[in-house]
Amino acid sequence: MVNEPSDLPAPELRKAEWVRVVLDVPLPGPFDYKCDFPVETGMRVIVPFGRRKMIGMVVELPELPAYDPSLIKSVELVLTDIAPLPDHWLRFARFAADYYQRPLGEVVLPALPLSLRSVTAYQGKRSAGGPVARLDQRRAPVLKASAVSAVPELNAAQQLAVDLIIAAEGFKTFLLYGVTGSGKTEVYLHAAAQALARGKRVLMLVPEINLTPQFEQALRARLEPVAGIGGVAVLHSGLSDGERLRAWLRVQRGEARVVLGTRLAIFAPMQDVGLIVVDEEHDPSYKQQDGLRYSARDLAVWRGHDLGVPVVLGSATPSLESWVRAERGQYQRLSLPARARAVSLPTVRLVDTRRLKMDHGMSPHLLTAMRERLENKEQVLIFLNRRGYAPALHCASCGWVSQCPRCTTFTVLHRTTPGRHQLHCHHCGYQQRVPHACPDCGDQDLQPMGRGTQRIEEHLGELFPESRIARIDADSTRKKGSAQALFASVHAGEIDILVGTQMVAKGHDFANLGLVGVLNADAMLFSQDFRAPERLFAQLMQVAGRAGRHTGHGEVIVQTGYPEQPVYQALLKHDYSGFAKHSMQERESAMLPPFSHQALLSAEARDLNIAIAFLQSAKDTAMAIMEQQLSTEMITLYDPVPLRIVRVDNMCRAQLLIEATHRPAIQSLLRHWLAEINTLPESRKVRWQLEVDPLEI
Ligand code: ADP
Ligand code: ZN
Ligand code: ZN
């Protein structure tokens, strides 16, 4: 049965002479074409571009083309397999392009499923109708109804939060600040059900879907009775092209009334949105790290504002950006101060490792606590944010350390099969056999240096031979579905000890997990990035929040050589707001974000000097623009500096930081600056990019 797009307004097709089209090419654009067919903005067209044919999107119907009409080529085909993308969607894409300083085509086209933007899908006899027609010829999948799960009665804090969200008329941003296990999900679900009952649609963003099928199940079970069977669409980067196309079309045709997705779902062409939720709003994965380097959280707030609907940002450890806005009253704070189940927060213990004899990186305190929990048939989680067997291989006689030939980093020792090891570079993927002897001095006694998850897993196997141990990290979960299978066996009680990286920290509601041990957290403490303590605190709070969620009496043991550090002291007391206050004072006195705004110009070249020279010319250009604009006092331009890991895959990397107290000042500079950078002769010798609101510096 072909889906009738009957609830969509029929576009008023105009027979246009000229169309302005955006394409996914690294050129400013847009590009004008002649068009002899009826066409509207938001429609896709096939156009010639150079010697190629490409799919582009019509963004404007100009009266006259921007250049000589006799040079202008014609649109070959107007694609009508889907309804035109609506104006509000184009407006959103335009904002994102403007704000992040990218050509509009690099926003619009990558936001579409692959087959809707690849010409080949529309060429040839068989595919003349394109992928949408082929899909519609197939029978609609029969979706099974999910069982309705029990709805807990909201506690007073949850009820108040839901009431305030529901009462919001038009745009308003809420910061749902709730400790781990406080039942934020219930708040989202109630507010979402309410929006659906009013005939509206709901967009819900989460950092990660693959790892937390629990969340998707709960959402389906609870909202499908309201949204209709199949009314929940899921969008994330782990979908195949076909799955993504199907989900996207259900959103675009208005069949999906709830969209659950990762950051890319912010670009879903949803209609009639009544609520936007961003769960774990502090999570760095909301930031796209290549191409259009957007923050889905920030875009969610803009979109809520543009559509006039409430936005709920939820977290136990909000980003300082959001916290400051709540403090200033720009966001309304909703607090869930206690765990929803009648259980207390876990006890946190700091174990000072400086004076202790450690057993393979684990303190006697941790091992004793593990033994007790395991005897009590509770599960234990050992958290170590370092995958592999050991961070490096090293020669005790001469000090040689395994190093990547293409990068300025160590190669990491990995166990490939039992008893066999290899050296891997985590930056460029370089792999190498383990040398039999030290390449420098010939000594055969090479030793692993430090510990990764594999080595801890191995050692725990010796210490606790009766226990069932599982390791969850990027290496153990490469195969599709393997992470879900591992988590399922943890939930089913088939695992006693879980060893994992940050992958295990996210969102899991483990019923029987009593103890969390944190190894080597200090590694993140002394990073040069000013956000490192904030990120460490959020990660520790999140992983700590896995302990004792159902039973209470949870315990968290953090091993550290620096127990007096504010981040650990705050963790001890579960004191996010104290930590936030301390961090805000630090940031304010140094005029760092959120008290200023930043942009980062980075460059890479085979020769570091070339990258630096480019950045230096770019800096000079920016100074000249600022002098013209008379805005020198509001913007600080730092000197170009090499990155800490300067060489990756034989490319040397450097960056130039720009900081301003006012966002408009920086935006106005960037606009002029980009055009100038493109004309610098040095710009052709490097790969460069500009990032607005960088998360990592
Ligand atoms: P958060 O996302 O804030 O960490 P969750 O939403 O995962 O917390 O909720 C933690 C646990 O508390 C879940 O098992 C959930 O089912 C339960 N829960 C949530 N709200 C209530 C409530 N009002 N009464 C009883 N249990 C609740
Ligand atoms: Zn040696
Ligand atoms: Zn490398």
Side-chain angles (χ1 to χ4, degrees):
M1 164 83 204
V2 176
N3 296 298
E4 298 282 345
S6 53
D7 52 341
L8 298 169
E12 267 189 40
L13 294 181
R14 193 188 81 155
K15 196 161 176 295
E17 183 94 346
W18 310 107
V19 289
R20 197 150 283 163
V21 173
V22 292
L23 298 166
D24 188 9
V25 290
L27 293 169
F31 307 92
D32 288 355
Y33 288 89
K34 193 165 184 305
C35 186
D36 302 323
F37 314 100
V39 72
E40 219 14 80
T41 56
M43 283 182 143
R44 287 138 58 245
V45 288
I46 295 183
V47 294
F49 187 77
R51 266 178 284 164
R52 286 187 294 168
K53 283 178 191 168
M54 296 187 84
I55 290 187
M57 186 176 286
V58 177
V59 295
E60 220 183 307
L61 303 173
E63 287 300 320
L64 285 170
Y67 32 89
D68 183 357
S70 67
L71 299 176
I72 289 186
K73 296 181 187 164
S74 289
V75 167
E76 294 198 356
L77 196 59
V78 176
L79 298 172
T80 53
D81 53 346
I82 61 168
L85 274 293
D87 282 349
H88 64 78
W89 189 85
L90 281 175
R91 198 160 64 229
F92 176 60
R94 243 187 215 112
F95 168 77
D98 245 32
Y99 186 81
Y100 293 109
Q101 310 284 339
R102 303 289 288 202
L104 183 56
E106 283 189 31
V107 179
V108 163
L109 290 142
L112 306 178
L114 188 63
S115 50
L116 293 186
R117 56 185 147 102
S118 63
V119 170
T120 45
Y122 292 87
Q123 284 171 334
K125 240 190 222 138
R126 270 195 68 234
S127 24
V132 177
R134 285 202 303 282
L135 202 66
D136 286 344
Q137 279 157 15
R138 303 191 351 192
R139 297 171 69 122
V142 181
L143 291 154
K144 264 192 280 170
S146 354
V148 180
S149 64
V151 179
E153 207 166 309
L154 296 183
N155 60 38
Q158 288 172 315
Q159 188 65 56
L160 180 64
V162 171
D163 289 347
L164 288 166
I165 296 166
I166 291 172
E169 278 168 32
F171 169 67
K172 183 164 191 174
T173 307
F174 296 95
L175 181 60
L176 181 63
Y177 164 53
V179 299
T180 51
S182 60
K184 293 185 285 293
T185 312
E186 275 310 313
V187 174
Y188 307 146
L189 291 176
H190 275 80
Q194 182 70 25
L196 292 171
R198 289 195 321 256
K200 297 289 183 184
R201 291 162 210 267
V202 178
L203 175 59
M204 197 176 293
L205 301 184
V206 289
E208 168 61 59
I209 292 181
N210 278 334
L211 297 179
T212 52
Q214 267 187 330
F215 188 85
E216 184 186 338
Q217 279 159 18
L219 189 92
R220 281 187 193 280
R222 288 282 293 283
L223 296 183
E224 282 191 349
V226 205
I229 309 285
V232 176
V234 174
L235 280 171
H236 59 86
S237 57
L239 299 177
S240 69
D241 290 338
E243 289 168 329
R244 181 152 169 223
L245 173 65
R246 243 166 301 172
W248 190 92
L249 285 174
R250 286 193 15 244
V251 177
Q252 187 259 349
R253 290 164 168 173
E255 294 160 14
R257 302 193 49 215
V258 177
V259 174
L260 171 67
T262 51
R263 60 171 181 259
L264 58 88
I266 191 63
F267 290 101
M270 247 184 143
Q271 315 266 1
D272 288 328
V273 176
L275 175 70
I276 302 177
V277 173
V278 183
D279 187 28
E280 308 288 1
E281 66 90 31
H282 65 278
D283 198 295
S285 64
Y286 282 121
K287 179 93 195 207
Q288 165 91 10
Q289 290 299 358
D290 51 34
L292 179 79
R293 296 176 161 232
Y294 63 94
S295 153
R297 184 225 22 237
D298 295 351
L299 287 180
V301 174
W302 189 89
R303 212 170 167 190
H305 176 257
D306 185 60
L307 298 173
V309 302
V311 179
V312 179
L313 309 178
S315 178
T317 52
S319 63
L320 287 179
E321 279 75 7
S322 299
W323 190 253
V324 165
R325 289 193 185 129
E327 294 277 282
R328 290 179 185 149
Q330 290 162 282
Y331 293 174
Q332 180 168 1
R333 182 159 43 218
L334 309 169
S335 297
L336 306 180
R339 282 191 157 179
R341 291 170 183 266
V343 296
S344 48
L345 283 166
T347 317
V348 177
R349 202 158 28 127
L350 301 177
V351 172
D352 188 340
T353 52
R354 280 173 297 196
R355 282 179 276 285
L356 286 174
K357 189 165 167 354
M358 306 286 275
D359 182 354
H360 289 76
M362 283 171 285
S363 61
H365 308 67
L366 178 58
L367 292 174
T368 307
M370 284 181 76
R371 224 158 265 134
E372 281 169 12
R373 296 282 171 171
L374 291 168
E375 269 163 27
N376 202 22
K377 302 276 174 260
E378 288 176 61
Q379 292 169 311
V380 174
L381 166 62
I382 300 297
F383 174 74
L384 171 62
N385 223 349
R386 199 183 250 176
R387 66 188 173 88
Y389 189 82
L393 187 68
H394 127 273
C395 168
S397 351
C398 78
W400 172 87
V401 181
S402 59
Q403 195 124 35
C404 177
R406 305 185 203 149
C407 311
T408 41
T409 53
F410 298 150
T411 43
V412 178
L413 192 64
H414 278 255
R415 194 187 56 220
T416 44
T417 49
R420 289 182 148 268
H421 294 83
Q422 250 189 357
L423 290 166
H424 292 186
C425 174
H426 284 189
H427 292 268
C428 73
Y430 177 82
Q431 299 193 356
Q432 197 180 27
R433 283 193 3 221
V434 174
H436 293 297
C438 172
D440 282 2
C441 75
D443 195 320
Q444 296 198 345
D445 187 22
L446 296 177
Q447 292 296 332
M449 192 167 88
R451 277 161 212 91
T453 45
Q454 285 183 328
R455 197 172 180 195
I456 293 292
E457 179 195 20
E458 185 179 282
H459 186 59
L460 287 173
E462 290 158 13
L463 287 176
F464 302 97
E466 321 277 76
S467 301
R468 296 158 299 175
I469 305 178
R471 171 170 56 88
I472 299 190
D473 57 25
D475 300 312
S476 73
T477 56
R478 260 184 231 294
K479 259 199 279 163
K480 201 176 174 182
S482 57
Q484 287 96 315
L486 277 169
F487 279 118
S489 58
V490 179
H491 285 293
E494 293 157 12
I495 300 298
D496 305 309
I497 305 176
L498 179 60
V499 180
T501 55
Q502 79 216 348
M503 278 179 80
V504 299
K506 286 186 180 179
H508 289 277
D509 194 22
F510 299 120
N512 193 33
L513 197 125
L515 173 70
V516 171
V518 179
L519 311 185
N520 203 40
D522 294 343
M524 271 179 76
L525 202 56
F526 300 106
S527 151
Q528 289 173 353
D529 192 326
F530 69 88
R531 282 193 181 86
E534 176 185 350
R535 217 170 290 142
L536 174 60
F537 184 73
Q539 233 178 51
L540 291 180
M541 285 282 274
Q542 200 161 28
V543 70
R546 300 311 111 201
R549 285 171 79 86
H550 290 215
T551 55
H553 318 294
E555 188 182 22
V556 183
I557 294 181
V558 181
Q559 299 190 163
T560 168
Y562 308 88
E564 68 290 341
Q565 283 286 321
V567 35
Y568 295 129
Q569 288 301 314
L571 186 73
L572 210 54
K573 295 176 276 180
H574 301 279
D575 182 16
Y576 168 80
S577 70
F579 179 71
K581 195 168 170 202
H582 162 86
S583 312
M584 268 166 30
Q585 281 162 355
E586 272 188 3
R587 299 271 185 96
E588 190 162 21
S589 62
M591 280 315 271
L592 285 165
F595 300 95
S596 64
H597 304 280
Q598 296 180 329
L600 196 62
L601 181 66
S602 36
E604 50 181 62
R606 299 245 166 225
D607 180 348
L608 179 62
N609 293 326
I610 292 179
I612 298 271
F614 160 74
L615 293 174
Q616 190 56 51
S617 311
K619 182 180 173 181
D620 296 342
T621 317
M623 302 283 260
I625 297 172
M626 278 155 52
E627 262 162 46
Q628 271 170 14
Q629 292 187 342
L630 305 172
S631 58
T632 31
E633 276 145 303
M634 296 161 77
I635 300 179
T636 313
L637 288 162
Y638 290 88
D639 283 330
V641 287
L643 264 66
R644 191 177 55 83
I645 298 174
V646 60
R647 188 165 47 91
V648 167
D649 210 0
N650 286 328
M651 295 295 273
C652 294
R653 313 175 308 162
Q655 64 187 24
L656 161 67
L657 183 66
I658 305 141
E659 209 170 74
T661 40
H662 296 287
R663 208 190 278 288
I666 219 168
Q667 285 284 324
S668 143
L669 169 67
L670 295 184
R671 218 160 291 136
H672 293 88
W673 196 32
L674 267 186
E676 301 268 337
I677 291 176
N678 270 313
T679 66
L680 287 176
E682 290 93 335
S683 76
R684 280 187 288 280
K685 297 184 202 146
V686 298
R687 284 208 296 249
W688 63 273
Q689 66 194 0
L690 181 74
E691 183 172 3
V692 178
D693 302 334
L695 256 195
E696 277 165 59
I697 294 172

